Amino acid sequence: MILIDGKKIAAELREELRKEVVELKVKHNKIPGLTVVLIGDMAPSQIYVRMKEKAANEVGLKSEVIRYPGTVEEKTVLDKIDELNKDESISGILVQLPLPKHIDKQKVIETILPGKDVDGFHPMNVGNLSSGYESSVPCTPLGCYLMIKKIEPNLSGKKAVMIGRSNLNGKPMAQLLLKENCTVTITHSKTKDLKAECLEADIIVAAVGIPELVKADWVKKDAIVIDVGINKTEKGIVGDVAFDEVSKVARALTPVPGGVGPMTIACLLKNTIECFKRSKN
Ligand code: GUN
């Protein structure tokens, strides 16, 4: 079994990006800039944003975090996004989710210029991705995709099963694999026989938030299994895949932690650099 070392692959990607930033600086006399907006004091968001900031600095991006209390008015946030949209030194804007209830998430997403939308959440980017045009691609599925491609460069004709249909992961992941000529099934909570669907799959991407849902007898021998889940349980953080047993049947499997997580962050940096380059073309 191949343990897909997301930490290592992400470190390699960051090193490539670091070199690219140096080249871009020579070429344009500017460096790509990432601004993260963090609202409220939710612990996981604080941790993620700190990791994003650290990684951005590591590859030499200009990085900034704008923090607001959870009580901030929606208008203040939207006005700030407008200001960031107009600021030429900023290539990418990310508003960390989830947001407090009184702030309209969709309004926030749609206020970010599509060309600066490093999350790939803007309807313009969602549409472009599904139409097969150039777009920002959400960081988590992009990271999963790069890991899958490392294991299997030719995905044509493979059967891929997404567990979960979120805008954050399942749907964009399906689009990426469809582009690679996979036959894609998106499953969800109303799917009749999830185990049977999984048993057909050459590739499984689990992103539902149910601890250790995917068991060994759900997985075809030699399948590639990507575990997006991060679930707090009594025995610590576990994924959506029963790691120990599935590792005995799968061809390749991502660990939790150390799989998808580091790749998500590296892909955010990649998206920031892509936005910068597109703005120069
Ligand atoms: N919260 C959890 N994951 C994400 C993500 O990928 N982007 C943003 N903006 N917020 C998140």
Side-chain angles (χ1 to χ4, degrees):
M1 203 271 305
I2 303 168
L3 183 69
I4 307 176
D5 189 344
K7 223 168 144 178
K8 179 157 166 267
I9 301 169
E12 288 164 3
L13 177 54
R14 285 199 305 274
E15 180 54 21
E16 277 172 38
L17 297 173
R18 193 187 60 75
K19 288 182 188 149
E20 197 173 3
V21 171
V22 173
E23 287 167 15
L24 289 169
K25 194 174 171 184
V26 171
K27 190 170 171 195
H28 300 285
N29 200 27
K30 284 200 178 83
I31 50 174
L34 170 67
T35 296
V36 175
V37 178
L38 175 58
I39 302 169
D41 52 11
M42 280 186 47
S45 293
Q46 302 275 349
I47 295 166
Y48 291 139
V49 167
R50 221 173 298 137
M51 292 197 293
K52 288 171 184 178
E53 192 180 18
K54 180 168 168 272
N57 287 325
E58 211 181 291
V59 304
L61 299 180
K62 176 171 112 65
S63 120
E64 180 191 23
V65 179
I66 297 172
R67 290 181 168 82
Y68 290 113
T71 51
V72 67
E73 275 186 50
E74 183 185 88
K75 185 172 183 312
T76 308
V77 176
L78 297 179
D79 287 349
K80 176 52 84 176
I81 294 172
D82 271 332
E83 188 189 313
L84 299 171
N85 282 340
K86 290 181 188 122
D87 185 339
E88 274 189 30
S89 74
I90 291 163
S91 329
I93 303 166
L94 178 145
V95 179
Q96 185 69 23
L97 304 177
L99 297 173
K101 281 196 185 67
H102 68 280
I103 298 181
D104 184 338
K105 178 176 91 176
Q106 200 57 18
K107 221 185 226 175
V108 166
I109 287 172
E110 291 183 18
T111 303
I112 298 172
L113 275 182
K116 295 194 178 192
D117 167 34
V118 282
D119 264 324
F121 294 164
H122 192 287
M124 177 94 84
N125 283 317
V126 176
N128 279 338
L129 176 62
S130 78
S131 305
Y133 298 128
E134 192 173 48
S135 70
S136 281
V137 178
C139 306
T140 299
L142 180 57
C144 296
Y145 167 79
L146 294 176
M147 289 192 287
I148 295 167
K149 286 284 279 187
K150 265 231 155 73
I151 301 297
E152 181 56 72
N154 182 10
L155 298 175
S156 187
K158 301 281 183 203
K159 286 197 172 181
V161 170
M162 310 302 101
I163 310 179
R165 57 174 150 183
S166 71
N167 294 334
L168 213 72
N169 202 80
K171 281 188 251 179
M173 189 75 238
Q175 297 294 351
L176 288 172
L177 293 172
L178 201 52
K179 255 192 184 171
E180 291 286 325
N181 301 315
C182 287
T183 301
V184 180
T185 303
I186 306 179
T187 67
H188 45 76
S189 57
K190 303 291 184 290
T191 294
K192 284 268 157 50
D193 189 345
L194 184 55
K195 178 181 172 181
E197 298 291 347
C198 287
L199 272 171
E200 295 275 314
D202 301 305
I203 299 159
I204 297 173
V205 181
V208 271
I210 302 175
E212 301 180 316
L213 173 72
V214 179
K215 304 291 192 285
D217 63 354
W218 291 30
V219 177
K220 203 162 78 170
K221 194 177 159 297
D222 291 339
I224 298 171
V225 182
I226 306 291
D227 190 349
V228 183
I230 302 176
N231 307 294
K232 256 192 194 159
T233 70
E234 283 163 5
K235 60 178 196 183
I237 302 281
V238 301
D240 293 348
V241 177
F243 183 88
D244 289 344
E245 52 180 273
V246 171
S247 67
K248 296 193 173 82
V249 288
R251 171 179 168 201
L253 172 62
T254 60
V256 176
V260 175
M263 285 302 287
T264 296
I265 295 179
C267 285
L268 170 64
L269 312 177
K270 182 175 166 59
N271 280 350
T272 305
I273 293 168
E274 294 297 325
C275 283
F276 176 85
K277 288 196 288 188
R278 281 199 289 273
S279 77
K280 298 293 169 204
N281 287 336

